[in-house]
mmCIF file of all heavy atoms in Angstrom:
data_model
loop_
_atom_site.group_PDB
_atom_site.id
_atom_site.type_symbol
_atom_site.label_atom_id
_atom_site.label_comp_id
_atom_site.label_asym_id
_atom_site.label_seq_id
_atom_site.Cartn_x
_atom_site.Cartn_y
_atom_site.Cartn_z
ATOM 1 N N TYR T 415 74.826 120.473 95.772
ATOM 2 C CA TYR T 415 76.253 120.750 95.615
ATOM 3 C C TYR T 415 76.749 121.429 96.879
ATOM 4 O O TYR T 415 75.966 121.863 97.725
ATOM 5 C CB TYR T 415 76.546 121.585 94.363
ATOM 6 C CG TYR T 415 76.080 123.028 94.389
ATOM 7 C CD1 TYR T 415 76.889 124.045 94.916
ATOM 8 C CD2 TYR T 415 74.843 123.389 93.862
ATOM 9 C CE1 TYR T 415 76.473 125.366 94.917
ATOM 10 C CE2 TYR T 415 74.415 124.712 93.861
ATOM 11 C CZ TYR T 415 75.246 125.699 94.393
ATOM 12 O OH TYR T 415 74.823 127.013 94.407
ATOM 13 N N ARG T 416 78.060 121.525 97.002
ATOM 14 C CA ARG T 416 78.711 121.976 98.232
ATOM 15 C C ARG T 416 79.554 123.225 97.963
ATOM 16 O O ARG T 416 80.132 123.384 96.890
ATOM 17 C CB ARG T 416 79.579 120.831 98.764
ATOM 18 C CG ARG T 416 80.587 121.137 99.856
ATOM 19 C CD ARG T 416 79.974 121.566 101.160
ATOM 20 N NE ARG T 416 78.998 120.635 101.702
ATOM 21 C CZ ARG T 416 79.293 119.537 102.402
ATOM 22 N NH1 ARG T 416 80.555 119.198 102.603
ATOM 23 N NH2 ARG T 416 78.334 118.783 102.890
ATOM 24 N N VAL T 417 79.651 124.091 98.963
ATOM 25 C CA VAL T 417 80.565 125.235 98.954
ATOM 26 C C VAL T 417 81.423 125.151 100.213
ATOM 27 O O VAL T 417 80.887 125.027 101.324
ATOM 28 C CB VAL T 417 79.800 126.574 98.942
ATOM 29 C CG1 VAL T 417 80.787 127.739 98.997
ATOM 30 C CG2 VAL T 417 78.916 126.679 97.705
ATOM 31 N N TYR T 418 82.747 125.199 100.045
ATOM 32 C CA TYR T 418 83.671 125.201 101.182
ATOM 33 C C TYR T 418 84.250 126.597 101.377
ATOM 34 O O TYR T 418 84.588 127.292 100.410
ATOM 35 C CB TYR T 418 84.815 124.209 100.952
ATOM 36 C CG TYR T 418 84.408 122.762 101.058
ATOM 37 C CD1 TYR T 418 84.236 121.989 99.915
ATOM 38 C CD2 TYR T 418 84.184 122.165 102.294
ATOM 39 C CE1 TYR T 418 83.854 120.658 99.998
ATOM 40 C CE2 TYR T 418 83.804 120.838 102.389
ATOM 41 C CZ TYR T 418 83.640 120.089 101.234
ATOM 42 O OH TYR T 418 83.244 118.775 101.324
ATOM 43 N N TYR T 419 84.372 126.980 102.641
ATOM 44 C CA TYR T 419 85.059 128.209 103.013
ATOM 45 C C TYR T 419 86.346 127.812 103.745
ATOM 46 O O TYR T 419 86.290 127.144 104.792
ATOM 47 C CB TYR T 419 84.181 129.069 103.925
ATOM 48 C CG TYR T 419 82.943 129.609 103.239
ATOM 49 C CD1 TYR T 419 81.791 128.830 103.133
ATOM 50 C CD2 TYR T 419 82.930 130.890 102.704
ATOM 51 C CE1 TYR T 419 80.657 129.317 102.500
ATOM 52 C CE2 TYR T 419 81.800 131.386 102.065
ATOM 53 C CZ TYR T 419 80.664 130.594 101.965
ATOM 54 O OH TYR T 419 79.544 131.068 101.336
ATOM 55 N N VAL T 420 87.479 128.195 103.198
ATOM 56 C CA VAL T 420 88.757 127.832 103.810
ATOM 57 C C VAL T 420 89.527 129.099 104.168
ATOM 58 O O VAL T 420 89.324 130.166 103.573
ATOM 59 C CB VAL T 420 89.604 126.929 102.877
ATOM 60 C CG1 VAL T 420 88.850 125.662 102.517
ATOM 61 C CG2 VAL T 420 90.021 127.671 101.624
ATOM 62 N N ASP T 421 90.390 128.956 105.147
ATOM 63 C CA ASP T 421 91.283 130.048 105.528
ATOM 64 C C ASP T 421 92.012 130.510 104.261
ATOM 65 O O ASP T 421 92.579 129.700 103.525
ATOM 66 C CB ASP T 421 92.271 129.537 106.578
ATOM 67 C CG ASP T 421 92.921 130.670 107.357
ATOM 68 O OD1 ASP T 421 92.495 131.836 107.193
ATOM 69 O OD2 ASP T 421 93.865 130.390 108.131
ATOM 70 N N GLY T 422 92.003 131.814 103.998
ATOM 71 C CA GLY T 422 92.353 132.321 102.678
ATOM 72 C C GLY T 422 93.818 132.632 102.441
ATOM 73 O O GLY T 422 94.703 132.199 103.183
ATOM 74 N N ASN T 423 94.043 133.397 101.402
ATOM 75 C CA ASN T 423 95.390 133.650 100.894
ATOM 76 C C ASN T 423 96.030 134.831 101.616
ATOM 77 O O ASN T 423 95.830 135.991 101.246
ATOM 78 C CB ASN T 423 95.319 133.920 99.387
ATOM 79 C CG ASN T 423 96.701 134.030 98.770
ATOM 80 O OD1 ASN T 423 97.682 133.591 99.346
ATOM 81 N ND2 ASN T 423 96.767 134.631 97.591
ATOM 82 N N TYR T 424 96.796 134.524 102.645
ATOM 83 C CA TYR T 424 97.592 135.528 103.339
ATOM 84 C C TYR T 424 98.757 134.807 104.020
ATOM 85 O O TYR T 424 98.731 133.581 104.190
ATOM 86 C CB TYR T 424 96.756 136.303 104.363
ATOM 87 C CG TYR T 424 96.195 135.460 105.490
ATOM 88 C CD1 TYR T 424 96.889 135.308 106.700
ATOM 89 C CD2 TYR T 424 94.957 134.814 105.366
ATOM 90 C CE1 TYR T 424 96.380 134.541 107.734
ATOM 91 C CE2 TYR T 424 94.436 134.050 106.399
ATOM 92 C CZ TYR T 424 95.153 133.924 107.578
ATOM 93 O OH TYR T 424 94.647 133.159 108.592
ATOM 94 N N LYS T 425 99.756 135.531 104.413
ATOM 95 C CA LYS T 425 100.933 134.934 105.028
ATOM 96 C C LYS T 425 100.550 134.254 106.338
ATOM 97 O O LYS T 425 99.911 134.850 107.204
ATOM 98 C CB LYS T 425 101.996 136.002 105.288
ATOM 99 C CG LYS T 425 103.304 135.423 105.808
ATOM 100 C CD LYS T 425 104.365 136.499 105.987
ATOM 101 C CE LYS T 425 105.669 135.901 106.498
ATOM 102 N NZ LYS T 425 106.719 136.957 106.682
ATOM 103 N N GLY T 426 100.918 132.976 106.449
ATOM 104 C CA GLY T 426 100.611 132.216 107.652
ATOM 105 C C GLY T 426 99.254 131.561 107.640
ATOM 106 O O GLY T 426 98.817 131.021 108.668
ATOM 107 N N SER T 427 98.555 131.578 106.508
ATOM 108 C CA SER T 427 97.241 130.940 106.431
ATOM 109 C C SER T 427 97.350 129.447 106.711
ATOM 110 O O SER T 427 98.293 128.778 106.271
ATOM 111 C CB SER T 427 96.632 131.156 105.042
ATOM 112 O OG SER T 427 95.440 130.410 104.882
ATOM 113 N N SER T 428 96.371 128.937 107.402
ATOM 114 C CA SER T 428 96.333 127.497 107.685
ATOM 115 C C SER T 428 95.748 126.714 106.522
ATOM 116 O O SER T 428 95.961 125.509 106.416
ATOM 117 C CB SER T 428 95.499 127.228 108.941
ATOM 118 O OG SER T 428 94.117 127.496 108.694
ATOM 119 N N TRP T 429 94.956 127.383 105.680
ATOM 120 C CA TRP T 429 94.239 126.762 104.569
ATOM 121 C C TRP T 429 93.305 125.643 105.040
ATOM 122 O O TRP T 429 92.960 124.748 104.282
ATOM 123 C CB TRP T 429 95.202 126.234 103.503
ATOM 124 C CG TRP T 429 95.955 127.315 102.802
ATOM 125 C CD1 TRP T 429 97.279 127.606 102.933
ATOM 126 C CD2 TRP T 429 95.435 128.256 101.848
ATOM 127 N NE1 TRP T 429 97.623 128.682 102.139
ATOM 128 C CE2 TRP T 429 96.505 129.094 101.455
ATOM 129 C CE3 TRP T 429 94.164 128.476 101.304
ATOM 130 C CZ2 TRP T 429 96.341 130.127 100.539
ATOM 131 C CZ3 TRP T 429 94.010 129.500 100.388
ATOM 132 C CH2 TRP T 429 95.094 130.314 100.014
ATOM 133 N N LEU T 430 92.893 125.708 106.318
ATOM 134 C CA LEU T 430 91.954 124.739 106.860
ATOM 135 C C LEU T 430 90.512 125.116 106.487
ATOM 136 O O LEU T 430 90.204 126.289 106.230
ATOM 137 C CB LEU T 430 92.071 124.679 108.383
ATOM 138 C CG LEU T 430 93.302 123.964 108.947
ATOM 139 C CD1 LEU T 430 93.497 124.345 110.407
ATOM 140 C CD2 LEU T 430 93.168 122.453 108.796
#
Side-chain angles (χ1 to χ4, degrees):
Y415 70 88
R416 167 65 55 82
V417 177
Y418 288 103
Y419 294 84
V420 302
D421 199 8
N423 187 18
Y424 63 93
K425 185 177 180 180
S427 173
S428 69
W429 294 109
L430 286 163

